């Protein structure tokens, strides 16, 4: 691959510090990112997707049972792993990412929930997002899943999308067709003016939406929602079925 054709996004933040309370009792002794789905830790599913998309370095934040995650990623070389230590205080998705900004450089980066999991249909959705990223029009680009075809999700949905991929919140509507699938592209500069300490990335979603600069890429594949122990088996079955079709 020539330099001109290289993916424009080479760094990522993987959010692995959460308590995973809905996954108890499993997460009393095992951090949720290390729960295995289809024989592989959810964290490795996320890291492998990033590596496939050309990401070279990933910052992983840790808090709950942090030592287990540090040991788990110690042997990875693709992508390279840097730890952002949040043992002192849990900072949520936005605050944790903001703390890690000095490790992420100046350019756009992926933010990925460590427990997000999806099947693909022969393309790398993250590589497509990297190519679609347009800072002239966008402050954030989100990976979206279709609500009706996702596995294990029973909510009302999060977003509407126009023909250009510009997103608006569900608001007071009874339902919306798209779910946030746990991946976004954004830049360090977009954190200017955000609070110190703990806050959610939802703050930045709303900021981007208010200026019509929040966009989405609809997942080519199937999103697997895994929030509680009883959702593991259906997710494994769906993943196995998708892998069999792709074989």
């Amino acid at each position: 691959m020539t330099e001109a054709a290289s993916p424009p996004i080479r760094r990522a933040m993987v959010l692995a510090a959460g308590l995973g309370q809905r996954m108890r009792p499993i997460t009393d002794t095992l951090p949720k990112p290390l729960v295995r789905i289809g024989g592989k830790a959810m964290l490795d599913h996320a890291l492998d997707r990033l590596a496939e998309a050309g990401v070279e370095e990933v910052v992983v934040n840790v808090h709950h049972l942090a030592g287990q995650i540090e040991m788990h990623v110690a042997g990875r070389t693709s992508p390279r792993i840097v730890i952002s230590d949040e043992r002192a205080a849990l900072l949520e998705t936005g605050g944790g990412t903001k703390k890690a900004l000095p490790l992420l450089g100046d350019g756009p980066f992926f933010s990925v929930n460590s427990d997000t999991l999806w099947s693909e249909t022969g393309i790398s959705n993250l590589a497509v997002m990297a190519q679609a990223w347009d800072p002239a029009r966008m402050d954030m680009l989100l990976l979206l899943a279709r609500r009706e075809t996702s596995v294990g999700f029973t909510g009302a949905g999060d977003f509407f999308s126009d023909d250009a991929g510009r997103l608006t919140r569900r608001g007071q509507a009874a339902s919306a067709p798209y779910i946030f699938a746990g991946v976004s592209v954004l830049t360090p500069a977009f954190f200017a003016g955000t609070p110190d300490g703990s806050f959610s990335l939802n703050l930045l979603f709303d900021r981007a939406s208010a200026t019509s600069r929040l966009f989405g890429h609809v997942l080519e594949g199937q999103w697997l929602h895994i929030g509680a122990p009883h959702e593991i088996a259906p997710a494994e079955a769906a993943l196995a079925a998708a892998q069999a079709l792709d074989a």
Side-chain angles (χ1 to χ4, degrees):
M1 181 179 289
T2 66
E3 184 63 24
S6 297
I9 300 178
R10 302 180 185 276
R11 287 193 171 102
M13 174 82 191
V14 171
L15 299 160
L19 300 176
Q21 296 188 58
R22 289 186 58 230
M23 193 62 83
R24 287 178 172 168
I26 296 172
T27 49
D28 289 338
T29 57
L30 184 73
K32 186 180 178 184
L34 299 189
V35 173
R36 298 178 78 82
I37 305 294
K40 183 192 294 188
M42 284 194 280
L43 177 57
D44 286 321
H45 282 285
L47 293 172
D48 288 347
R49 292 291 190 213
L50 288 164
E52 290 164 5
V55 172
E56 298 170 355
E57 187 168 275
V58 175
V59 179
V60 177
N61 67 343
V62 295
H63 174 83
H64 177 57
L65 301 173
Q68 291 188 43
I69 293 176
E70 289 175 324
M71 289 180 61
H72 184 83
V73 300
R76 285 201 71 120
T77 57
S78 178
R80 297 187 300 272
I81 306 297
V82 178
I83 296 294
S84 179
D85 194 330
E86 291 181 27
R87 285 176 174 87
L90 189 59
L91 296 173
E92 293 189 75
T93 54
T97 305
K98 184 174 181 178
K99 180 180 186 293
L101 291 181
L103 304 173
L104 287 164
D106 298 326
F109 63 92
F110 287 106
S111 173
V112 182
N113 293 347
S114 60
D115 60 354
T116 191
L117 181 62
W118 66 88
S119 63
E120 295 195 329
T121 58
I123 67 156
S124 166
N125 283 275
L126 300 188
V128 172
M129 289 180 72
Q131 295 298 329
W133 171 250
D134 180 3
R137 296 187 301 133
M138 304 172 182
D139 285 328
M140 295 190 76
L141 175 63
L142 309 185
L143 181 64
L144 303 176
R146 293 173 177 85
R147 178 176 59 86
E148 293 186 353
T149 59
S150 296
V151 173
F153 183 81
T154 57
D158 301 315
F159 294 104
F160 296 96
S161 175
D162 69 12
D163 291 343
R166 188 177 289 103
L167 305 182
T168 53
R169 291 276 198 181
R170 173 171 58 88
Q172 298 302 311
S175 65
Y178 299 113
I179 312 159
F180 172 56
V183 179
S184 58
V185 178
L186 69 168
T187 64
F190 197 49
F191 282 82
T194 54
D196 294 327
S198 177
F199 68 94
S200 170
L201 281 175
N202 273 298
L203 176 70
L204 297 185
F205 292 1
D206 290 340
R207 179 190 287 184
S209 180
T211 55
S212 299
R213 291 176 60 85
L214 181 67
F215 284 76
H217 162 71
V218 179
L219 175 71
E220 296 267 352
Q222 187 174 45
W223 189 59
L224 313 175
H225 179 265
I226 308 165
H230 71 272
E231 294 170 340
I232 293 175
E236 289 192 316
L239 186 64
Q243 291 171 338
L245 285 174
D246 200 38

